[in-house]
Amino acid sequence: MIIEDEPMVAMFIEEALELAGASSFDIAATEADAVAFAAKHRPEVITSDVRLVEGTGPRAVKQIHDQLGDIPVIFITGTPFECDEQNMSPVLMKPVTLNAVMEAFEKVAPEGDGCSN
């Protein structure tokens, strides 16, 4: 799952994840959409911005974790200082490179090809 409210950034992240081996995606622009999409299709990995046009990525991730259990997360944000200091998820700062996204995904993704997001 990609939680990102900027369409061009979401497409960039999707491309990086595809190159790293991911095969399916839900893209959510709001906190509520992210939670709803996850309830319908449990993601294996989540990438999330922090600030969204409606809500925040970390709150969406918390709700998803509360409902579905632990799912690996990569935060990709222009505001890394807003990520929880106790969070053990990778945090990539925008602007981000394809290689940085791919490497982070490869570190957190469940083993096996065709990981769904």
Side-chain angles (χ1 to χ4, degrees), residues 23-85:
S23 61
S24 67
F25 305 90
D26 286 317
I27 299 175
T30 68
E31 182 179 324
D33 285 349
V35 174
F37 290 159
K40 291 180 184 173
H41 180 242
R42 186 184 195 278
E44 292 182 39
V45 175
I46 299 169
T47 66
S48 180
D49 194 357
V50 171
R51 293 184 182 179
L52 304 172
V53 67
E54 291 180 26
T56 74
R59 282 197 313 246
V61 168
K62 181 176 180 342
Q63 291 177 62
I64 292 166
H65 283 167
D66 288 349
Q67 292 175 10
L68 302 175
D70 193 35
I71 298 170
V73 179
I74 304 165
F75 287 101
I76 304 173
T77 180
T79 57
F81 52 88
E82 293 183 11
C83 289
D84 181 0
E85 293 177 9

Side-chain angles (χ1 to χ4, degrees), residues 5-23:
D5 60 354
E6 296 179 42
M8 295 301 290
V9 175
M11 288 174 34
F12 176 83
I13 294 169
E14 181 177 13
E15 179 182 357
L17 296 175
E18 284 178 335
L19 290 170
S23 61

